[in-house]
Amino acid sequence: MGHRCCNKQKIKRGLWSPEEDDKLVTYITTHGHKSWSSVPKFAGLQRCGKSCRLRWTNYLRPDLKRGSFTVEEEQIIIDIHRILGNRWAQIAKHLPGRTDNEVKNFWNSCIKKKLISQGLDPNTHNLLSSSSHHKRNNLSYQNSNSIFILSSQMPLNTNNLIETTQTFASLPTPSTFSPSNQYQTSFNVISNDQLYVSEQEQPRSLTENISNICSTSCNENSIWVSRDDDFRDSTFEEGIKAQVEKEKEKICDEKGMKDKEVNNEKEDIEMNSCFENSNFDFGLLESVLNSEFISHDLDYMDELAWNF
DNA sequence: AACGCACCCAACCGCATCTCG
DNA sequence: GCGAGATGCGGTTGGGTGCGT
């Protein structure tokens, strides 16, 4: 067997020896890698180009971070995975010094099991136990370091209720929202494993203004909900959609790019910097989409994926 | 000490997409 | 537009290692 791309050559497979690593590092640092298929030939390696590229990107690259994933990195992986799924290369782009392979392995060996042990489906990030989904407005607290799931039924418009689930891997610090824009509700510790917010305890204004909710956060005792004045006059769904379209048009106009397909890395970086300079809070959008539309409308997944 | 099992992770495989002539 | 080769990506494999019996 062997790679089809290099059937004619005598190809070594398996683990790389230190000598092979030396050859590859020496060649790449001196000459770069304009064409991976020619690298083994010029570097004096009996490997295929594909294997060389993998070895370099996953192990020999000087900018790679070594060691265990930090709690912050783990959180980032969980958050982005919730949005994008198994798009390891995209996730790895948000973790400097980490490779897609590393992220994938970390997910499969650690995070996946952790989520399952916490009663979460690692694919959907929803509760594995269906019974919990029938409780209205509840916050599950699985264990001391873990996942919190806030689920509730909210009025999307006059005709429809939307069932939502928002997951927190840790309890975030409450943001410093202005008092006029925030609502607070308490939840009770029912047991060590469950925290509930009963519907009765939810302030009326929270339900009435649900279409204006833009983010939530909580600590051990409270849930904080903020709303954005920009969304005051539109429904929640319309507001999000309009904001996304507006920002995309603005950015594309600025860059002279009407097509949302961004094909090369340079343009990708420019786009990212555009997002960073934009006033629009994509983090906020992300948190909203996580809670509201992740299983509701796949078009929004695409919208979000485009931002990454 | 020997064995079996589970886990981790580097590397491979195959498919999709891109690039270039 | 087409085809071949190059590259990128996600899923899978299998060797090394640690741990329990």
Side-chain angles (χ1 to χ4, degrees), chain A residues 56-66 97-99 102:
Chain A
W56 174 259
T57 54
N58 286 345
Y59 195 79
L60 298 173
R61 248 168 55 199
D63 58 330
L64 286 179
K65 194 189 276 185
R66 302 281 180 206
R98 302 295 189 183
T99 68
E102 211 175 356

Side-chain angles (χ1 to χ4, degrees), chain A residues 205-251:
Chain A
S205 54
L206 178 64
T207 307
E208 285 167 0
N209 292 288
I210 206 76
S211 65
N212 293 326
I213 287 175
C214 289
S215 67
T216 61
S217 64
C218 56
N219 61 17
E220 283 82 357
N221 300 309
S222 307
I223 297 175
W224 298 81
V225 181
S226 76
R227 60 198 173 116
D228 189 329
D229 286 349
D230 289 348
F231 293 147
R232 199 182 292 281
D233 297 327
S234 56
T235 69
F236 183 82
E237 190 173 14
E238 286 167 350
I240 291 292
K241 208 168 190 170
Q243 284 291 327
V244 170
E245 287 307 316
K246 200 171 91 181
E247 285 301 313
K248 278 163 65 175
E249 280 175 19
K250 194 172 87 183
I251 290 161

Side-chain angles (χ1 to χ4, degrees), chain A residues 21-32:
Chain A
D21 283 346
D22 281 346
K23 284 182 181 178
L24 185 58
V25 169
T26 303
Y27 180 81
I28 297 297
T29 51
T30 312
H31 301 94

Side-chain angles (χ1 to χ4, degrees), chain A residues 101-120:
Chain A
N101 208 35
E102 211 175 356
V103 171
K104 181 172 56 184
N105 283 334
F106 183 56
W107 177 270
N108 286 326
S109 61
C110 297
I111 300 178
K112 206 170 172 180
K113 287 171 192 166
K114 204 178 216 176
L115 293 179
I116 290 169
S117 74
Q118 290 163 349
L120 292 175

Side-chain angles (χ1 to χ4, degrees), chain A residues 53-186:
Chain A
R53 179 176 60 83
L54 221 59
R55 184 64 178 169
W56 174 259
T57 54
N58 286 345
Y59 195 79
L60 298 173
R61 248 168 55 199
D63 58 330
L64 286 179
K65 194 189 276 185
R66 302 281 180 206
S68 309
F69 281 81
T70 64
V71 176
E72 290 75 22
E73 287 176 316
E74 182 178 331
Q75 185 54 53
I76 290 170
I77 294 170
I78 293 170
D79 286 343
I80 304 178
H81 185 276
R82 189 191 309 137
I83 305 162
L84 298 179
N86 294 358
R87 293 167 69 176
W88 308 117
Q90 291 295 316
I91 296 171
K93 282 180 184 172
H94 294 265
L95 299 163
R98 302 295 189 183
T99 68
D100 55 347
N101 208 35
E102 211 175 356
V103 171
K104 181 172 56 184
N105 283 334
F106 183 56
W107 177 270
N108 286 326
S109 61
C110 297
I111 300 178
K112 206 170 172 180
K113 287 171 192 166
K114 204 178 216 176
L115 293 179
I116 290 169
S117 74
Q118 290 163 349
L120 292 175
D121 184 335
N123 296 316
T124 64
H125 295 253
N126 290 331
L127 278 172
L128 284 167
S129 156
S130 60
S131 61
S132 304
H133 291 283
H134 298 308
K135 297 169 187 157
R136 297 189 65 177
N137 299 316
N138 74 68
L139 181 74
S140 307
Y141 172 68
Q142 303 293 336
N143 64 40
S144 59
N145 289 321
S146 64
I147 303 290
F148 301 78
I149 308 103
L150 173 64
S151 61
S152 58
Q153 290 184 323
M154 299 176 174
L156 182 63
N157 54 42
T158 52
N159 298 321
N160 295 317
L161 281 177
I162 178 170
E163 176 139 24
T164 70
T165 302
Q166 181 160 3
T167 310
F168 303 92
S170 59
L171 284 169
T173 307
S175 306
T176 53
F177 300 134
S178 71
S180 62
N181 273 358
Q182 70 186 17
Y183 303 92
Q184 183 181 2
T185 183
S186 299

